[in-house]
Amino acid sequence: MSFNLSVIPNKNIILAVTGGIAAYKSAIVVRRLKDAGFDVRVVMTAGAQAFITPLTFQALSGNPVHTELLNPEAEAGMGHIELARWADLLLVAPASCDTLAKFAAGLADDLLSTLYLASKCPVWVAPAMNQQMWAAKATQRNLNTLVDDGVHVIMPDAGSQACGDVGLGRMPEPEDLAQQVTQYFHQAQRATAEKFGLLAHQHVVITAGPTREAIDPVRYISNHSTGKMGFSLAAACYAAGAEVTLIAGPVSLDTPNGVRRINVSSAQEMLKVSMQMLDSGCDIFIATAAVADYRVAEVAEHKIKKAGDELNVALIKNPDIVATIAQQLKRPFMVGFAAETQNVEAYAAGKLVAKKLDMIACNDVSRADIGFASDENAMTVFFAESYDMPKRDLDKASKQQIAEQLVQAISEARNQQPIPSRKA
Ligand code: C5P
């Protein structure tokens, strides 16, 4: 399961392809931008069409390809002004010498040069050409003009060229270009979330996954928790602008984008790191971890040998992490989880009070279709009495969607009874 925010919703890219052998690489750029969730429209100059056909780009982008400026049919579809308004970014790759010169001079004699002048969005150019043409004074002069005009220039790579020369002028690899575009939108998205997100200026600490309680050097007691709910919450909190620390038990999940992850194994380690996080400043503590209730009283120094028909291992109670944090003086907003197989709501409401939580999300793990190993969940959320917020049912949905609804609920409760933010 992937938690990186690689999918950028509702962003439009115009990929303009100009005449150069690197045009073949642009087909892959379209693929990668589509993979990242962008809507892509391709504009081609006449020169580009000598290297690769519009049909290729139409098939890959799923949109008509724009090639003409003064074609009544094309203008009736999406004309150059509309196209310019549609775009969130204009990426010219490859950008030929001729195109750079036109942009620098402000010419408007074809669709792309006109589009450039009509665009308000950021313009990126990825020049690709013979190394001698790249080094030519006129090209460098035009590039300087474009940089002064606010155009972002993606520097060409050095290496062997299609013409046999070796030097600067190769278009960067398509994956690299798509990655740079995606990163730009991620950073913009994050900057907005950090200012205006539901959890802006909050440090959220989340425990996730199971704990492992050693029996001897090779054996342990654990449970089936996969950590998916906690990791989904970490991604959702980050998307809502929070700084997120994820204290993870042993799970095989990728760390969500932008999230700080600290791996732990036992409940005692999880408590120790949680307390450290509290000391360093924590505004919201979310306990999704399935912490082992008991640990082995005395962990054997060496592997226990097979002997009689029975083996008795004495267990002692583990600390309750969420309850311990809730008792501290510098108490964050506390969110607990309850996984039950019967009397789900009654048990959850009891834990809310007993553990002194602000909010608890409970689910029925006896249902085979949701919970532990599933990618989906359904929950009921209870708030402490002081919040005057009725219980809230979250219908079956992906753990990511449930996480977003939980973030919403946390933010509403926080707004009702604001606890001063660490950074406000
Ligand atoms: O008591 P129970 O394990 O059902 O409570 C569940 C909630 O308490 C979860 O939020 C879980 O992460 C937290 N918990 C904890 N430390 C424990 C046991 C549970 O933080 N030792």
Side-chain angles (χ1 to χ4, degrees):
M1 193 171 183
S2 174
F3 297 93
N4 63 39
L5 302 172
S6 59
V7 174
I8 310 268
N10 307 323
K11 291 291 176 196
N12 302 329
I13 310 278
I14 294 181
L15 174 66
V17 185
T18 73
I21 183 58
Y24 80 93
K25 288 187 183 174
S26 307
I28 315 287
V29 176
V30 176
R31 282 297 294 265
R32 295 295 161 258
L33 290 175
K34 294 279 291 177
D35 289 347
F38 294 106
D39 196 357
V40 182
R41 283 179 176 265
V42 176
V43 167
M44 297 180 79
T45 62
Q49 292 169 67
F51 288 91
I52 185 164
T53 69
L55 198 60
T56 305
F57 287 112
Q58 183 180 312
L60 291 173
S61 68
N63 281 318
V65 172
H66 306 263
T67 56
E68 306 284 337
L69 174 61
L70 300 174
N71 175 332
E73 209 177 295
E75 287 290 298
M78 196 187 263
H80 61 282
I81 300 293
E82 247 179 303
L83 205 52
R85 287 186 187 140
W86 176 84
D88 294 300
L89 189 133
L90 168 60
L91 169 65
V92 188
S96 65
C97 266
D98 182 55
T99 299
L100 299 176
K102 273 185 177 164
F103 283 6
L107 295 183
D109 64 350
D110 65 1
L111 176 61
L112 177 55
S113 51
T114 313
L115 189 62
Y116 169 71
L117 289 177
S119 292
K120 252 179 36 189
C121 67
V123 178
W124 290 20
V125 295
M129 61 199 65
N130 164 271
Q131 52 91 20
Q132 198 62 48
M133 291 170 81
W134 166 257
K137 282 188 176 157
T139 305
Q140 291 303 314
R141 193 167 56 239
N142 289 334
L143 278 165
N144 285 335
T145 304
L146 291 183
V147 170
D148 286 347
D149 291 347
V151 172
H152 174 63
V153 178
I154 301 169
M155 287 298 283
D157 289 341
S160 65
Q161 303 199 301
C163 53
D165 278 8
V166 176
L168 264 179
R170 284 162 55 107
M171 188 170 102
E173 291 312 309
E175 286 74 15
D176 187 17
L177 285 182
Q179 169 81 22
Q180 288 189 41
V181 171
T182 307
Q183 217 166 11
Y184 166 77
F185 282 101
H186 274 155
Q187 281 166 0
Q189 209 174 40
R190 176 66 187 166
T192 308
E194 275 179 2
K195 270 193 188 153
F196 308 112
L198 287 177
L199 300 182
H201 311 299
Q202 306 288 299
H203 179 203
V204 180
V205 177
I206 302 173
T207 65
T211 62
R212 268 183 197 170
E213 309 301 331
I215 298 171
D216 65 19
V218 294
R219 304 182 180 95
Y220 57 81
I221 299 171
S222 192
N223 59 64
H224 290 300
S225 169
T226 59
K228 282 179 187 166
M229 194 63 239
F231 276 57
S232 296
L233 260 164
C237 290
Y238 181 76
E243 180 197 332
V244 183
T245 305
L246 185 57
I247 307 174
V251 293
S252 53
L253 293 174
D254 293 338
T255 308
N257 234 344
V259 167
R260 174 163 69 137
R261 173 175 179 171
I262 302 172
N263 288 328
V264 295
S265 185
S266 67
Q268 285 175 300
E269 273 174 46
M270 193 174 265
L271 176 62
K272 189 174 158 209
V273 176
S274 299
M275 292 298 280
Q276 284 166 354
M277 286 303 114
L278 204 63
D279 285 343
S280 65
C282 162
D283 302 296
I284 299 168
F285 189 91
I286 307 178
T288 68
V291 183
D293 290 326
Y294 294 90
R295 69 176 182 277
V296 175
E298 272 183 51
V299 180
E301 196 181 336
H302 298 287
K303 186 178 170 190
I304 300 170
K305 289 289 172 204
K306 214 177 330 184
D309 288 343
E310 277 186 20
L311 172 69
N312 292 309
V313 178
L315 301 177
I316 54 170
K317 202 150 193 203
N318 258 333
D320 190 310
I321 298 167
V322 80
T324 308
I325 302 284
Q327 281 163 15
Q328 304 303 307
L329 218 57
K330 273 183 3 187
R331 178 186 180 281
F333 181 88
M334 299 297 303
V335 183
F337 277 70
E340 304 290 348
T341 54
Q342 55 181 348
N343 299 331
V344 180
E345 298 201 356
Y347 280 137
K351 280 176 193 171
L352 178 73
V353 175
K355 298 189 187 220
K356 296 192 167 55
L357 306 176
D358 294 279
M359 179 178 144
I360 193 160
C362 68
N363 65 344
D364 181 350
V365 284
S366 67
R367 279 176 62 176
D369 59 330
I370 56 167
F372 270 152
S374 167
D375 283 339
E376 293 195 308
N377 214 343
M379 306 202 114
T380 307
V381 181
F382 294 90
F383 302 90
E385 250 177 32
S386 55
Y387 285 91
D388 189 27
M389 283 174 75
K391 74 166 186 171
R392 184 176 297 190
D393 287 318
L394 309 181
D395 292 339
K396 186 175 156 184
S398 72
K399 285 188 174 169
Q400 198 62 54
Q401 285 164 326
I402 293 282
E404 283 161 15
Q405 293 181 63
L406 288 172
V407 164
Q408 178 72 38
I410 291 169
S411 156
E412 280 175 40
R414 292 279 278 144
N415 284 340
Q416 227 199 42
Q417 225 181 48
I419 297 166
S421 161
R422 197 166 52 86
K423 289 184 192 160

